Amino acid sequence: MPKVWDWDLAGQALPLLLQGFLVTLAATVVASVVAIILGLVLAMLRRTRFAAVRAPVRAFVEFVRSTPVMVQLFAVYVVFPGLSPFTIGVTVLGIHYATYMSEVYRAGIDGVPKGQWEAATALSLPRGRTWRAVILPQAVRNVLPALGNYVISMFKDTPFLAVITVHEMVFQATTFGGDHFKYLEVFTMAAAIFLIASYPTSLLVRRLEKRLGH
Amino acid sequence: MGSFLSQLSQSWGNIGSALVITVEGTIGGAILALVLAFVLGLMALSRFVVVRGVARTIIEFFRGTSLYVQLFWLYFALPVLGFKISSALLCAIIAFGLNFGAYGAEVVRGAINAVPRAQWEGAIALNMSPFQRMRLVILPQAWVAMIPPFNNLLIQLLKSTPLMSLVTIADLTFEAQQLRSATGQTAWSYLFLLVVYFILAYILTLLMNALESVAKARLGRGTGLRGIFRMRPADPTGKSLGAGLAGAGTEIEPVEAANLTSKTMGAGGPGGGGV
Amino acid sequence: MATEPKIPDLSEVDTPPNLPTGTPMVQFDKVVKRFGDNVVLDHLDFSVEQGERVTLIGPSGSGKTTILRLLMTLERINDGVIYVEGQPLSHMDRGGKLVPANERYLSTVRKKIGMVFQQFNLFPNMKVLENVIEAPVHVLGVPKDEAVERAKKLLDLVGLADRVGQHPTSLSGGQQQRVAIARALAMQPDVLLLDEVTSALDPELVADVLNVLRDIARTTTITMLIVTHEMHFARDVSNRILMFDKGRIVEEGAPDKIFSEPENDRTQTFLRAVLEER
């Protein structure tokens, strides 16, 4: 009968988990960048004058955000066998969250008062300049906490990348657990690491929310 | 494609039972999550600091650790401690319930907080007991504001169910993988799976919209059947979109409910509004 | 405060165009504007000469603000033509025919016009100075140093020289509106539109804003179209008053005449109502 909690085993696993955690962090950062940029692009495409662009973009957004990211990962993984799992993982996760973020941006853009557009017109500011200097800075400021929450949420979704063999923390935990026929230590530690990383971050986002007056 | 279709028609029976399992996991998880959401959400509003502290700890714990990890912990690690959950499906339902219950608790707490002060005072003036106040006055109003974020969470839960296939449950994803190895039609198998999920998400959204219309009609602000067919976006943070934005959700909802929703959700989000 | 009143130097923003004699600064030719079934302007004809200050009065919904918004190209007209400096504003000349203006054409012609809004509409993400230099730098191509120099002079003129580095949200409504005036002037408009610029202000802040506008009216030749409920101000600065009702001009004339001996029933009723309210 083995001990319930084996400190030696935990000690052995920790470096592996931390190594995996670095991959988790890297995936979160890259996927966030993809989502934050692509989300804005999608939001702006959904506002163009051209219905021929708006409709397919809308359909794409609806479909992607209504279907499981895990299945999306499988699907892209098998369709593009040449790409590295990490590349596929961060791209799919990034696109998935971009569809959420596009809605946030859209609400943020709609939340900029009409008077701001009118003032820009009255000053003859060109359209591009109006977006860059007037509308987007205000819209993005409004949605920062929401974007922050999505990044945290994405962080907690990175274990899905394990299903396409990205060596992030949960992949390492599963492998180690399988090798030693003991999962308690690795999964408990993985959960703890997630909590330690995500809780303070969400407190930060909450403070940001308060400071921006939400 | 042809071989895929013929295989598909042959496996129809398997796919049917896999669909049932996915739906069971979703509904089971949702019911448990709903119960936990109310229990934890009301506890988080308690006058007693200890009760609040317990609720917050549970909420933060299940929101702060990944669902994936929670499920694996329940399935792989818990038996070591001497608790073996009888079936993998039950394991998954418990994991879904705990995780989404924690998110739902923030929705409940936020929606109750968003009921105007005057309503509480009115109920007190009528000499209602605290329980009567909550049941007769506050909850019917807060409930309307909870439905849209609950819908987000429900879709999110549905989208998490492929995790079941990782703990040996023969759900839709598992079945799609069977289909894939039987036909070699990888892309079609997964596309088929995505479409099934999309349809399921749409059906759930329609049901939740209908529920919302009913709840609103009870408060005398019915929008009738008009809003039912719109597609409401899934939202993994368990908040309404645009989190607390003034304009958020106005496109989705008439102003009154939207304000309520955005206020509610402004207080929510991973970790929620603090003790 | 008993300081000597400064005589503002507005020579830099006062850049009158050389219009051929007889060309009105602004001309409305049978202009129709509808919102749905609601006809707001019904074949409206009127013109404003260069340097004139014209105040539009009338009950709410009579189309005054719509006139300013059409001139600022914030709305499109349904029929008729608007001319500014003899050039069509709402339309453009294509092969001798007037066709509705496209966005590119509008972006060139609207530079002649500046507007101050009821709600100020300052850009909250920019500091006071940045608000004022934004358009000169990015629209007129003025070098930044020069734009800053001029913006500071204008802000001094509106009494806010010490606020250049602040964010608009930290200012009072009256101060914000004065920044908005400086911002509009920085574009050296030939026509300045003032749309109920004091309506959103607390009563004690109105005077500062009106005094700034009086100075501008006194020391420049900028053409102004004003919509206001401040009848004393209208009387002080205007050359002409247009009384609107239901999208038509029912009476017009010099302020003294309109305010002292209005002829039209509607004007009499309106003025009685407005003046009693004070």
Side-chain angles (χ1 to χ4, degrees), chain A residues 4 62 65 67-68 70 74 78 96 100 106 142 149-150 153 156 159 170 183-184 187-188 191 198-199 206 209 214, chain B residues 60 63-66 68 72-73 76-77 81 103 159 162 177 186 194 231 233-236 239 251 270-272 274:
Chain A
V4 169
E62 294 289 358
R65 74 171 170 214
T67 51
M70 188 175 135
F74 276 138
V78 295
H96 193 84
Y100 299 135
R106 215 156 62 104
N142 285 343
N149 282 328
Y150 278 124
S153 172
K156 287 179 277 182
V170 173
Y183 291 95
L184 177 67
F187 283 130
T188 306
S198 75
Y199 184 61
R206 261 177 258 171
E209 232 160 43
H214 286 298
Chain B
E60 299 297 357
R63 284 158 44 119
T65 54
S66 167
Y68 194 114
F72 273 40
W73 197 90
F76 291 110
L81 295 175
Y103 282 101
K159 284 165 48 185
Q177 278 159 342
T186 301
L194 286 171
M231 189 77 198
D235 180 337
K239 307 172 83 166
E251 164 240 32

Side-chain angles (χ1 to χ4, degrees), chain B residues 154-176:
Chain B
L154 182 60
I155 302 297
Q156 212 53 41
L157 198 165
L158 171 72
K159 284 165 48 185
S160 304
T161 56
L163 278 175
M164 297 196 294
S165 68
L166 300 180
V167 292
T168 71
I169 301 169
D171 75 328
L172 278 174
T173 304
F174 179 87
E175 204 50 52

Side-chain angles (χ1 to χ4, degrees), chain C residues 5 14 24-25 47 49 55 76 98 100 135 162 187 202 206 225 229:
Chain C
D14 194 11
M25 191 71 181
S47 53
E49 301 308 316
T55 299
R76 300 226 163 190
L98 284 184
D162 51 339
M187 286 296 281
D202 291 335
V206 169
L225 270 78
H229 292 115

Side-chain angles (χ1 to χ4, degrees), chain A residues 114-116 118-126 129 133-134 137-138, chain C residues 69 72 110-111 117 121-126 134-135 138-139 183 187:
Chain A
K114 209 172 124 233
Q116 295 291 309
E118 294 186 345
T121 304
L123 293 170
S124 298
L125 289 185
R129 181 72 195 165
V134 180
Q138 296 182 54
Chain C
R69 293 176 60 82
M72 195 64 258
R110 69 162 72 100
K111 283 182 199 155
F117 297 87
N121 296 347
L122 292 180
F123 302 136
N125 55 314
M126 300 180 195
E134 172 66 21
H138 292 280
V139 179
R183 181 174 74 170
M187 286 296 281

